[in-house]
């Protein structure tokens, strides 16, 4: 549990040394939430479909909010649908909650106009937990971090996750790849339009 929070803290800890694009991070957070749901047995996977189960309320308000977004009647949503629907702007939502909980603080350089500076995590049990999972190459966090670009490839000798978490991890990699392809296609289209405009 807490995989999504740990991924967000790890990304914030990297700061400007290895900035993680918000789109990729949001998809990773949505995947991490689904992995946490699986661990809590709040959902099960039927192929690529997410089947909700009865589960006690979550202490984490972000996970509790995520649980309300689950489709509880047939036809259930697929893991891919979950990533794109839940992942829309999710990094910003996590950041807002972290600010409210006092888990992050703005660096002094944040006052510089027009400079986007993400807050840095403050010392807390949550940060210590995230750092421990990061330092020990905990498989789920390491794989998610690699998928969103927060770290290089994971070591080959890491234990493999179960089938259901692996299915979610694979879906995250696919969604991030698709997002990158969309960005590249738009960049090509924008460049072509700019050339046409300059030639007009």
């Amino acid at each position: 549990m807490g995989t999504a929070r740990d991924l967000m803290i790890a990304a914030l800890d990297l700061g400007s040394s290895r900035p993680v694009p918000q789109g990729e991070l949001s998809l990773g957070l949505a995947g991490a939430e689904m992995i946490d749901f699986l661990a809590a047995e709040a959902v099960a996977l039927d192929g690529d479909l997410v089947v909700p189960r009865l589960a006690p309320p979550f202490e984490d308000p972000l996970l509790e909010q995520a649980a309300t977004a689950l489709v509880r009647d047939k036809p259930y949503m697929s893991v891919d649908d979950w990533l794109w629907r839940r992942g829309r702007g999710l990094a910003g939502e996590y950041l807002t909650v972290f600010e409210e909980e006092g888990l992050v603080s703005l660096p002094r350089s944040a006052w510089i106009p027009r400079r986007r500076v993400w807050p840095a995590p403050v010392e807390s049990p949550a940060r210590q937990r995230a750092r421990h999972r990061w330092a020990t190459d905990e498989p789920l966090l390491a794989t998610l971090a690699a998928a969103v670009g927060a770290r290089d490839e994971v070591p080959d000798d890491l234990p493999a996750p179960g089938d259901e978490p692996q299915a979610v991890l694979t879906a995250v990699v696919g969604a991030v790849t698709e997002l990158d392809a969309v960005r590249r296609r738009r960049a090509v289209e924008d460049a072509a339009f700019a050339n046409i405009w300059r030639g007009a």
Side-chain angles (χ1 to χ4, degrees), residues 4 77 93 145 169 192:
M77 72 169 64
E93 292 183 25
L169 293 170

Side-chain angles (χ1 to χ4, degrees), residues 3 6-7 10 129-130 133-134 138-146 151:
T3 304
D6 292 345
L7 177 61
R129 182 188 65 198
R133 291 182 73 179
W134 184 271
E138 192 278 324
L140 291 174
L141 182 61
T143 306
L144 280 166
R151 60 171 292 166

Side-chain angles (χ1 to χ4, degrees), residues 1 103 105 139 180 189 195:
M1 296 293 290
L103 295 176
S105 64
D180 183 60
E189 292 171 351
N195 288 335

